[in-house]
Amino acid sequence: MTVTHSENQQSPSPSRAPEAPVGLWLNGARGSVATTAITGLLALRAGMASSTGCVTDTGMLRDAPLASWTDLVIGGHDIVDTPLEKKAESLVDSGVIPAPVLAAVRGSLPEVERNLRTGYDVRSDTGPQAEVIDRLVGDIEEFRRRHGLARVVVINVSSTEPPAEYRPEHDDLDALTRSLADPQARALPPSSVVAYAAFQAGCGFVDFTPSTGARMPALELLAQRQQVPFAGSDGKTGETLLRTALAPMFTSRALHVLSWAGVNLLGGGDGATLEDPANAKSKLSSKAGVLPALLGEDVTAPLHIDNVPDLGDHKTAWDHVSFEGFLGVRMSMQLTWSGVDSTLAAPLVLDLARLTAAAHRAGHVGPIEQLGFFFKDPIGTDEHALADQARVLADWANGLDRQTGS
Amino acid sequence: MTVTHSENQQSPSPSRAPEAPVGLWLNGARGSVATTAITGLLALRAGMASSTGCVTDTGMLRDAPLASWTDLVIGGHDIVDTPLEKKAESLVDSGVIPAPVLAAVRGSLPEVERNLRTGYDVRSDTGPQAEVIDRLVGDIEEFRRRHGLARVVVINVSSTEPPAEYRPEHDDLDALTRSLADPQARALPPSSVVAYAAFQAGCGFVDFTPSTGARMPALELLAQRQQVPFAGSDGKTGETLLRTALAPMFTSRALHVLSWAGVNLLGGGDGATLEDPANAKSKLSSKAGVLPALLGEDVTAPLHIDNVPDLGDHKTAWDHVSFEGFLGVRMSMQLTWSGVDSTLAAPLVLDLARLTAAAHRAGHVGPIEQLGFFFKDPIGTDEHALADQARVLADWANGLDRQTGS
Amino acid sequence: MTVTHSENQQSPSPSRAPEAPVGLWLNGARGSVATTAITGLLALRAGMASSTGCVTDTGMLRDAPLASWTDLVIGGHDIVDTPLEKKAESLVDSGVIPAPVLAAVRGSLPEVERNLRTGYDVRSDTGPQAEVIDRLVGDIEEFRRRHGLARVVVINVSSTEPPAEYRPEHDDLDALTRSLADPQARALPPSSVVAYAAFQAGCGFVDFTPSTGARMPALELLAQRQQVPFAGSDGKTGETLLRTALAPMFTSRALHVLSWAGVNLLGGGDGATLEDPANAKSKLSSKAGVLPALLGEDVTAPLHIDNVPDLGDHKTAWDHVSFEGFLGVRMSMQLTWSGVDSTLAAPLVLDLARLTAAAHRAGHVGPIEQLGFFFKDPIGTDEHALADQARVLADWANGLDRQTGS
Amino acid sequence: MTVTHSENQQSPSPSRAPEAPVGLWLNGARGSVATTAITGLLALRAGMASSTGCVTDTGMLRDAPLASWTDLVIGGHDIVDTPLEKKAESLVDSGVIPAPVLAAVRGSLPEVERNLRTGYDVRSDTGPQAEVIDRLVGDIEEFRRRHGLARVVVINVSSTEPPAEYRPEHDDLDALTRSLADPQARALPPSSVVAYAAFQAGCGFVDFTPSTGARMPALELLAQRQQVPFAGSDGKTGETLLRTALAPMFTSRALHVLSWAGVNLLGGGDGATLEDPANAKSKLSSKAGVLPALLGEDVTAPLHIDNVPDLGDHKTAWDHVSFEGFLGVRMSMQLTWSGVDSTLAAPLVLDLARLTAAAHRAGHVGPIEQLGFFFKDPIGTDEHALADQARVLADWANGLDRQTGS
């Protein structure tokens, strides 16, 4: 199933059925990833950019019943109020958005800006979380109504949270719902409040971060009750992407990996967020499952994330793999990845909006394990090998029935 | 289809049928790859080494009907007469064979030594190539008879030749056979003389080098007539292996590769051979098809092979990949591979002996495209993506009927 | 003699004597290096940029009697007629000149544009080279007169030429001068025509390229007669810079370098020029002397320059050093340099203008070996160790007598 | 002052005066560095090895009045009792000592073994530290007497300690000496007990580790009183060595380093020791001063040391340097160093024995700042630039008066 770049430049599938517009509701809508996705979508619609980086536009998914770029409408929540235009300008300065792209779409940013609402801020929203959820649900429903959307997908692209402390309500939806009414309880971390609101509003939910999100039995039950799908966690865009392409090479060749060390240097907001060891813990834990799953054993795998402000969004990762071959001979491999995180993440966010909407329409309920291709820590599956994830994705998405749902 | 290292340490499949011994006839039997394979096989039999690096011993091929290590007998041709023991000692010095391994198997080397015969040397074998072929066939048949072998696989692991000049006889088996009787004609390059002899002797043939070998219509017809299988070309053990694992990552993520530059530093006999531009041409041409096939377009891909004697068998390759993501943003990746060529090649040679023998037994005739997993320039297929090659291999080998053939 | 960045931000030396303006005449004035130097100088004068990358603004040269940035006037020759402004815009696109810098100095570009004249084009200037030289000298003298310049330094930053074929006139100034009058003779390569004109016009000359320039006895004699200094060859800005910093580390630690392999990937005009093996020969030969001189012996040192158009000015070089330590143990080091060639070269061109003008003023005649710090193939010295070159430069430049000359 | 490898193979200086044997007393004599130094010295004497890696055998120090290899006698302390021969065998297995070297000198190991004594073990030596010091002094004096040594140099090559907690006695020799008599006090960390004993025994002392050693006013005063020299700290053998060669390149070229990130992967005893954060703190602090001193400002410089057991003594370090050039353009450099730590350290230990003995003989008292070339955290100087340290070393050592002292 080799899909090449030239095939990727596909013309729209004639079989692709017309469909009502679909909403993409971004939690963290004024951040780097969201702003790149918004600007990029406007550029795609304006014919100002190719869809390089968008998996849903490749030949691999040519038969998937997906909304077109023009049928995608974006709104969202955020707790900061930086204008999108200002954020986009800063992304031009840091090399994420080319100046001509922003120039071409600047005039369309206000239409997205009008769809943005104030998100859940734990520092100022001191009432019961139930009230917060009601407010968030209201915002999403108003967005859906106003734009006549067939369905809305909520995607969390806000900053990484620390791992949530376990509470018994996380296992019990009724207890959780009662607890949310208590202003002192604060039973859920912010990402889970967002997931709750998404499900409550009848939306699919995707967590592009390593935060808790929908990952607790009570929320999984809520998704079932609401008949909505969800996916996550933690978009796989750099070092981990490489590892899931390369580790299977070693195992399929019977080469014995002895250690796999890594270091990530990054600046920007992400670098600052992950400098806090509590936040980094979520990210490191999300990345940590990949190698044991792919190699079938624990290997020595020290991993660091360093904040290097001057690098901005330009993340540099170095990996050193030590392995043993025939007769016990030692060999090694090194990798340096120089990627722009928001550039790599944004098109996947657009892909996930299209694919989750299609799953929702086709009646998929609960975790979409077939989207594991996109995530470091895929919900509902232990498969981490990239090529196998690609095959699972293609088989599933190309077979989604366009007649079902909606 | 993730197969992990721990699964690889499988116990022998109880369903594996007993079978008569199988011969592995190495052309270039006194070279580094052959000597490592010979020493390693003796160590495997003696329980002195694990089969790390042998694909046929992994869970991925657990249902393939393969000869056991103890049922594999090695012989071969070479044009030099360095004793195996002396060659093995030099491989201890260069870090390819651990000293305790040689110490443990030294006493068994003479039994292999007795199976080695003088190969075809273009400088001294000045008679008609038909006579040479008769002699080679005689050697192989005598080996088969003496050891009571069910079948023999001939594997070419001799030095890389320059590309062969085209001659009309290459397309016409009858014309070729007539021409071979002419002492002046020398219609075939040495690797093709070996392939002819293998087929003539009723053996499967594998070309682990980029030389011409069986790749001409006349020889393909001979394989058909003799009802034997063949495979090749050019074992994929380092930089190209990595490329076939990584290039599909870029395409499946819709990232547009702009250039993929590479340089290989190596010493040893291989380094010296490839310093000659005529020989390097075969190798470079063998490697050149991989990226266009995987990326679907030609990209700028300068590639160098440099002879750096001090590195010996320790090959170091550096690759630089420049690619474009969303909105045309440029990113890059670098790879450094430090591998020991003979260590990587030798277990694959043993794998190919087992698999080709099994194919032969199962009645497979002509090119075995399912062995593309092992080669830079696979005969009979355009599939270069490593994970897909692994799946094809496993599906095929595990389904080989152990009742057929023989 | 450690000079740190913070010391580099020196305030102007109070002892620096006022001086008449100095001219910098660039051969190849519309190329990338020249346009970056011109734009940068205008930005320095406008206080829009710091002098990062300019050695002459560091504490190391705090006592050197140098012209200030405002006293430097630029003119030059080129054989293409791309407007400076257009070239500068293309350098903004390729990340060499920041957009705000060009915005700030755009209005001043026409004043430099007015100082540019048509250079020597071998394809169209078919008359005797003597006539060409007269024209070039006239251009420079007119520039000097019009701006009231104390002196002018001519710096060659045009494309690399192939090595010049030897001719007897190159050793004999009188024979050369006679030959120049012959329209068929074309005794000199273009870079040497420029050097001849520079000397004839009473100017110092610097060759920032590996072309022949002033490097022939006849031209050295002309420099003597005209009492002017000259320097070169081939600005040291990337891989070679690193080598001259690192090779002395190995020798001072008694570590035995066995091989030093390198590959350079670059695009842009330079990449295209060096794709022609004839041109690359000059560059490779210029780089080749460094390692033997620093290591005291020839080591295996394969070196490649590859044209990778997508990289543009962003040159990436990889070096692999294999070395031997105590008891013969092998170790290695790898380097990846990702530099922007014009960014690295342009400030050195400004430095060389100031330093050569100061040398000229102080009465220095002939090769300025003390400028070896700047060059891959320094004229007049075998010293390649960077730290020692820095010391020689500082001792010399800080000791130049500001009373002499002018 | 370029010194090349070929010059390094100097013949002994005719002017080198005969001298009485000199002792090298190693604290940590059964460790990897010590065993490599011992085995190597025996091999040098036996003509079985060249002195690659020994700075004192290069042309750079050709006029220094140094003891010859045959005049160097080794003894030492350790708290483990692994036989030297067994340790040397393990170093053969890990690629530090070539098998033929050990085979050649095995018979001479017992003569060194006889000079080894039990060191200071904080777990079992529970009496007053004064008694321990008396015992250590006795061992060293007996060694000196028995071998008729002109002088002895004590070098600490034992495992890195955590930073010592400050105590007022460290500033006051009399208070310290009183405190040492108190069995409860344990005023000194083990490395400082060794330094005290060395000075008490009239020996020069070198700390090749980042432990406290002689670095406290009370011990500096003791060295003054005893008229002995000392040097340290922390041998510079890998990543830091490279940094001190490369950072001056950036500053001398006025390139502004923005960040310099690093990671060190190593196994062996050193890897295990440094896995303890308390021990790593000493090492990280020793390395941390280098960049600010060389760059003149603090830069973002995250640094990690990871224990990767499979690497053994083969340390791999990766550095990423981000820097700014002309007009603020960002560039980067990466380095991978694959070195064998004991191989790099052992010859320097021999060098330091010779040089410290020569300094002692010449009457040098107190810190030998001229030995900064060898150390990450040089005592008595802020000069870290490698080339400048080499010059200082050469000027000093070549000028040591061979008539003085002794």
Side-chain angles (χ1 to χ4, degrees), chain B residues 30-387:
Chain B
R30 300 182 185 283
S32 296
V33 172
T35 305
T36 307
I38 291 165
T39 308
L41 177 64
L42 295 174
L44 282 173
R45 283 202 208 143
M48 269 299 296
S50 78
S51 60
T52 302
C54 291
V55 174
T56 49
D57 252 14
T58 64
M60 179 169 99
L61 297 183
R62 71 165 58 82
D63 293 323
L66 303 173
S68 70
W69 296 128
T70 46
D71 281 336
L72 209 55
V73 182
I74 301 189
H77 282 124
D78 206 318
I79 61 174
V80 300
D81 53 9
T82 327
L84 281 179
E85 190 172 345
K86 203 173 150 202
K87 182 70 185 180
E89 283 164 358
S90 81
L91 290 165
V92 169
D93 291 345
S94 61
V96 179
I97 298 178
V101 166
L102 179 54
V105 307
R106 192 186 288 269
S108 307
L109 283 174
E111 79 185 50
V112 181
E113 186 73 58
R114 279 192 293 274
N115 296 336
L116 304 193
R117 298 291 177 271
T118 301
Y120 170 37
D121 187 339
V122 288
R123 291 160 308 179
S124 53
D125 285 315
T126 52
Q129 287 185 318
E131 279 180 18
V132 171
I133 290 168
D134 284 349
R135 176 167 68 79
L136 302 183
V137 169
D139 290 340
I140 297 169
E141 291 184 333
E142 189 265 345
F143 169 67
R144 180 161 53 199
R145 225 169 21 240
R146 186 152 46 88
H147 292 279
L149 304 172
R151 63 195 60 76
V152 173
V153 178
V154 174
I155 303 189
N156 182 29
V157 287
S158 63
S159 295
T160 294
E161 301 167 0
E165 215 169 303
Y166 170 75
R167 296 169 65 136
E169 304 95 287
H170 294 172
D171 292 340
D172 178 340
L173 180 54
D174 292 334
L176 175 63
T177 305
R178 282 191 306 272
S179 171
L180 292 172
D182 173 357
Q184 313 307 326
R186 298 208 165 198
L188 293 177
S191 61
S192 301
V193 165
V194 169
Y196 195 113
F199 296 158
Q200 194 67 29
C203 300
F205 172 76
V206 178
D207 206 326
F208 205 78
T209 80
S211 300
T212 308
R215 290 184 290 178
M216 53 179 64
L219 288 178
E220 290 174 25
L221 180 57
L222 182 60
Q224 290 290 342
R225 279 202 196 151
Q226 298 288 100
Q227 295 284 295
V228 291
F230 63 91
S233 288
D234 203 5
K236 160 161 109 171
T237 56
E239 185 188 52
T240 303
L241 176 66
L242 271 170
R243 290 176 168 197
T244 61
L246 278 171
M249 178 192 83
F250 290 101
T251 53
S252 77
R253 281 301 178 94
L255 299 168
H256 186 197
V257 171
L258 302 171
S259 59
W260 196 310
V263 61
N264 293 268
L265 313 178
L266 71 163
D270 225 21
T273 299
L274 295 172
E275 195 161 31
D276 178 341
N279 299 330
K281 205 173 165 188
S282 295
K283 176 67 76 180
L284 290 169
S285 137
S286 167
K287 293 169 83 108
V290 172
L291 289 175
L294 289 171
L295 301 173
E297 61 180 335
D298 269 327
V299 299
T300 303
L303 184 59
H304 305 282
I305 302 178
D306 289 319
N307 184 26
V308 179
D310 71 86
L311 294 180
D313 272 288
H314 292 257
K315 181 160 79 172
T316 298
W318 178 73
D319 267 25
H320 181 276
V321 186
S322 178
F323 62 99
E324 194 177 76
F326 200 45
L327 306 179
V329 169
R330 303 291 174 86
M331 296 170 278
S332 68
M333 193 191 65
Q334 294 174 54
L335 284 163
T336 302
W337 173 262
S338 301
V340 180
D341 259 18
S342 301
T343 294
L344 291 159
L348 303 182
V349 167
L350 298 178
D351 285 332
L352 286 163
R354 292 171 115 186
L355 288 161
T356 304
H360 191 179
R361 186 193 190 200
H364 195 116
V365 169
I368 320 178
E369 64 188 47
Q370 297 88 345
L371 294 178
F373 176 73
F374 293 95
F375 298 111
K376 291 192 192 74
D377 189 10
I379 294 177
T381 172
D382 288 332
E383 181 59 82
H384 284 278
L386 187 72

Side-chain angles (χ1 to χ4, degrees), chain A residues 287-358:
Chain A
K287 294 169 83 108
V290 172
L291 290 175
L294 289 171
L295 301 174
E297 63 179 334
D298 270 327
V299 299
T300 302
L303 184 59
H304 306 281
I305 303 178
D306 290 320
N307 183 26
V308 178
D310 71 85
L311 294 179
D313 271 288
H314 292 258
K315 181 159 80 174
T316 299
W318 178 73
D319 267 26
H320 180 277
V321 186
S322 178
F323 63 99
E324 193 177 77
F326 200 46
L327 306 179
V329 169
R330 302 292 174 85
M331 295 169 278
S332 68
M333 193 191 64
Q334 295 173 54
L335 282 163
T336 302
W337 174 261
S338 301
V340 180
D341 259 18
S342 302
T343 294
L344 292 159
L348 303 183
V349 167
L350 299 178
D351 286 332
L352 286 163
R354 293 171 116 185
L355 288 161
T356 305

Side-chain angles (χ1 to χ4, degrees), chain A residues 258-259 261-263 265 300 302-312 316-318 320 322-323 330 334 336 338, chain D residues 258-259 261-263 265 300 302-312 316-318 320 322-323 330 334 336 338:
Chain A
L258 302 171
S259 59
V263 61
L265 312 178
T300 302
L303 184 59
H304 306 281
I305 303 178
D306 290 320
N307 183 26
V308 178
D310 71 85
L311 294 179
T316 299
W318 178 73
H320 180 277
S322 178
F323 63 99
R330 302 292 174 85
Q334 295 173 54
T336 302
S338 301
Chain D
L258 302 171
S259 60
V263 60
L265 312 177
T300 302
L303 184 58
H304 306 282
I305 303 178
D306 290 318
N307 184 25
V308 178
D310 72 85
L311 294 179
T316 299
W318 178 72
H320 180 278
S322 178
F323 63 98
R330 302 291 174 86
Q334 295 173 53
T336 301
S338 301

Side-chain angles (χ1 to χ4, degrees), chain D residues 1-24:
Chain D
M1 197 191 59
T2 305
V3 177
T4 64
H5 184 75
S6 56
E7 288 176 79
N8 285 347
Q9 304 309 319
Q10 60 168 121
S11 45
S13 164
S15 67
R16 195 162 283 183
E19 161 158 50
V22 161
L24 163 55

Side-chain angles (χ1 to χ4, degrees), chain C residues 30-385:
Chain C
R30 299 182 185 282
S32 296
V33 172
T35 306
T36 307
I38 290 166
T39 309
L41 178 63
L42 295 174
L44 282 173
R45 281 200 210 145
M48 269 298 298
S50 78
S51 60
T52 303
C54 291
V55 174
T56 48
D57 252 14
T58 64
M60 180 170 98
L61 298 183
R62 73 164 55 84
D63 294 324
L66 303 172
S68 70
W69 297 127
T70 46
D71 279 336
L72 209 56
V73 181
I74 301 189
H77 282 123
D78 207 318
I79 61 174
V80 300
D81 53 9
T82 327
L84 280 179
E85 190 172 347
K86 204 172 151 206
K87 182 71 184 179
E89 283 165 358
S90 81
L91 289 165
V92 169
D93 291 345
S94 61
V96 180
I97 299 179
V101 166
L102 178 55
V105 307
R106 192 186 288 271
S108 307
L109 283 174
E111 80 185 48
V112 181
E113 187 74 56
R114 279 193 292 274
N115 295 337
L116 304 194
R117 298 291 177 271
T118 301
Y120 169 38
D121 186 339
V122 287
R123 290 161 308 179
S124 53
D125 284 316
T126 53
Q129 288 185 320
E131 280 179 18
V132 172
I133 289 168
D134 285 349
R135 177 167 67 77
L136 302 183
V137 168
D139 291 339
I140 297 168
E141 291 184 334
E142 189 266 346
F143 169 68
R144 179 162 52 199
R145 226 170 18 243
R146 188 153 43 88
H147 292 279
L149 304 172
R151 63 195 62 76
V152 173
V153 177
V154 175
I155 303 190
N156 182 30
V157 289
S158 63
S159 295
T160 295
E161 300 166 2
E165 216 169 301
Y166 171 74
R167 296 169 65 136
E169 304 94 289
H170 295 171
D171 292 342
D172 179 339
L173 180 54
D174 292 334
L176 175 64
T177 304
R178 280 192 306 273
S179 171
L180 290 171
D182 173 357
Q184 313 306 327
R186 297 205 167 203
L188 292 177
S191 61
S192 301
V193 166
V194 169
Y196 195 112
F199 296 158
Q200 193 68 27
C203 301
F205 172 77
V206 177
D207 206 327
F208 206 78
T209 81
S211 300
T212 308
R215 290 183 289 178
M216 53 180 65
L219 288 178
E220 289 174 27
L221 180 57
L222 182 60
Q224 292 288 344
R225 279 202 197 152
Q226 298 288 98
Q227 294 284 296
V228 290
F230 63 92
S233 289
D234 204 6
K236 159 161 108 170
T237 56
E239 184 187 54
T240 303
L241 176 65
L242 272 169
R243 290 177 169 195
T244 60
L246 278 172
M249 177 191 83
F250 289 101
T251 51
S252 77
R253 281 300 178 95
L255 299 167
H256 185 196
V257 172
L258 302 171
S259 59
W260 196 311
V263 61
N264 293 269
L265 312 178
L266 72 163
D270 225 22
T273 300
L274 295 172
E275 195 162 30
D276 178 342
N279 299 331
K281 204 171 164 188
S282 295
K283 176 68 74 178
L284 290 169
S285 134
S286 165
K287 294 170 83 109
V290 171
L291 289 176
L294 289 172
L295 301 174
E297 62 181 332
D298 270 325
V299 298
T300 303
L303 184 58
H304 306 281
I305 302 178
D306 289 319
N307 183 25
V308 179
D310 72 84
L311 295 180
D313 271 289
H314 292 258
K315 181 158 79 172
T316 298
W318 178 72
D319 266 26
H320 180 278
V321 186
S322 178
F323 62 98
E324 193 177 77
F326 199 47
L327 306 179
V329 169
R330 301 291 174 85
M331 295 170 279
S332 67
M333 193 190 65
Q334 295 173 53
L335 282 164
T336 302
W337 173 260
S338 300
V340 180
D341 259 18
S342 301
T343 294
L344 291 159
L348 303 183
V349 168
L350 298 178
D351 285 332
L352 285 162
R354 292 172 116 184
L355 287 161
T356 305
H360 191 177
R361 185 193 190 198
H364 195 114
V365 169
I368 320 178
E369 64 188 48
Q370 296 88 346
L371 293 178
F373 176 73
F374 294 95
F375 299 110
K376 293 192 190 74
D377 189 10
I379 295 177
T381 171
D382 288 333
E383 180 59 83
H384 285 278

